[in-house]
Amino acid sequence: MENRVRVVIAEDSVLLREGLTRLLTDRGHEVVAGVGDGDALIRSVDGLAREDQLPDVVVADVRMPPTHTDEGVRAAVQLRKSHPGVGVLVLSQYVEERYATELLAASSRGVGYLLKDRVAEVREFVDAVVRVAEGGTALDPEVVAQLLGRSRKQDVLAGLTPREREVLGLMAEGRTNSAIARQLVVSDGAVEKHVSNIFLKLGLSPSDGDHRRVLAVLTYLKS
């Protein structure tokens, strides 16, 4: 049996909310509130705080009413600022890097991001709730893989000089080498040299099947 924790659940699907409540209470934990949107989540936690009854952890869906976009994660980020002692575990249907990054921006302590499929693995889910409640971290392996992939892309671009970044940015705008040369007031040969260095640093070798200029721009945009 894990250490008993107090949980607030924010999930607009009543069926899923009740299911999460059952999973946790069956393992000896206490669900002190269940709500269906981000505003209600904030009101609930603030109300518990006024009664000196803060939960140990909040479990929240990323997307909730009224727009079903980012209400849940915005509420989670706000709670991490107003009640830093409360752990926050968000659930998402898909890996959404922007939300994961926003949630982890301040600190990785007492935070989790899991895909909803992970809830089916009951022990793993409940362990994650307890870990986050105790100040630990619970990140879905797919979230970690995507964040690391983005980090690698950023590291590649970090190797470019400021001028090379400027040239790559103009390439992304669809400018030709001659147009870039006029914009930067340099020779065509200087631009060609910068472009060659960009290809080299991005690991884009000459190939009959790939257009290196397009691949370089895609790398830039994805970063």
Side-chain angles (χ1 to χ4, degrees):
M1 176 69 69
E2 306 93 345
N3 293 330
R4 186 170 183 265
V5 298
R6 302 175 71 252
V7 187
V8 170
I9 297 175
E11 166 59 59
D12 62 295
S13 166
V14 176
L15 185 62
L16 181 53
R17 188 166 71 235
E18 292 300 319
L20 294 175
T21 299
R22 180 65 181 271
L23 288 179
L24 292 166
T25 55
D26 281 354
R27 297 295 292 267
H29 304 297
E30 181 184 3
V31 176
V32 296
V35 298
D37 61 70
D39 290 340
L41 171 60
I42 292 172
R43 289 196 302 271
S44 177
V45 175
D46 286 345
L48 290 166
R50 287 193 293 272
E51 298 171 5
D52 198 24
Q53 294 291 325
L54 270 176
D56 299 302
V57 61
V58 165
V59 177
D61 190 355
V62 165
R63 299 171 181 265
M64 288 194 291
T67 68
H68 292 279
T69 54
D70 62 352
E71 284 84 357
V73 76
R74 283 195 285 113
V77 170
Q78 182 173 330
L79 288 175
R80 281 176 63 76
K81 294 177 181 176
S82 57
H83 304 290
V86 177
V88 172
L89 174 63
V90 299
L91 304 177
S92 179
Q93 194 70 40
Y94 311 101
V95 178
E96 300 180 81
E97 293 180 24
R98 179 168 64 88
Y99 298 151
T101 302
E102 187 175 4
L103 194 64
L104 292 163
S107 169
S108 61
R109 177 175 173 77
V111 64
Y113 189 115
L114 295 181
L115 295 182
K116 285 188 174 180
D117 288 347
R118 207 67 59 185
V119 176
E121 301 170 26
V122 177
R123 185 177 185 83
E124 185 174 339
F125 168 69
V126 176
D127 286 348
V129 172
V130 175
R131 189 158 65 252
V132 171
E134 295 177 343
T137 303
L139 295 178
D140 195 284
E142 291 189 34
V143 174
V144 173
Q146 289 205 23
L147 291 179
L148 286 176
R150 189 182 65 172
S151 176
R152 283 194 290 271
K153 293 188 188 86
Q154 290 176 329
D155 288 344
V156 169
L157 292 186
L160 302 181
T161 66
R163 177 62 89 183
E164 289 164 355
R165 279 175 167 271
E166 195 172 10
V167 169
L168 183 53
L170 291 170
M171 287 167 59
E173 294 176 11
R175 309 286 186 91
T176 64
N177 284 2
S178 295
I180 294 172
R182 289 193 297 271
Q183 175 76 20
L184 300 181
V185 194
V186 296
S187 68
D188 287 1
V191 173
E192 290 174 7
K193 183 177 180 180
H194 288 313
V195 172
S196 294
N197 286 338
I198 290 169
F199 291 157
L200 179 64
K201 291 180 179 180
L202 296 184
L204 300 174
S205 303
S207 168
D208 292 334
D210 296 321
H211 195 304
R212 291 192 294 169
R213 197 176 187 91
V214 173
L215 294 176
V217 168
L218 287 173
T219 301
Y220 173 80
L221 295 176
K222 288 178 181 178
S223 68

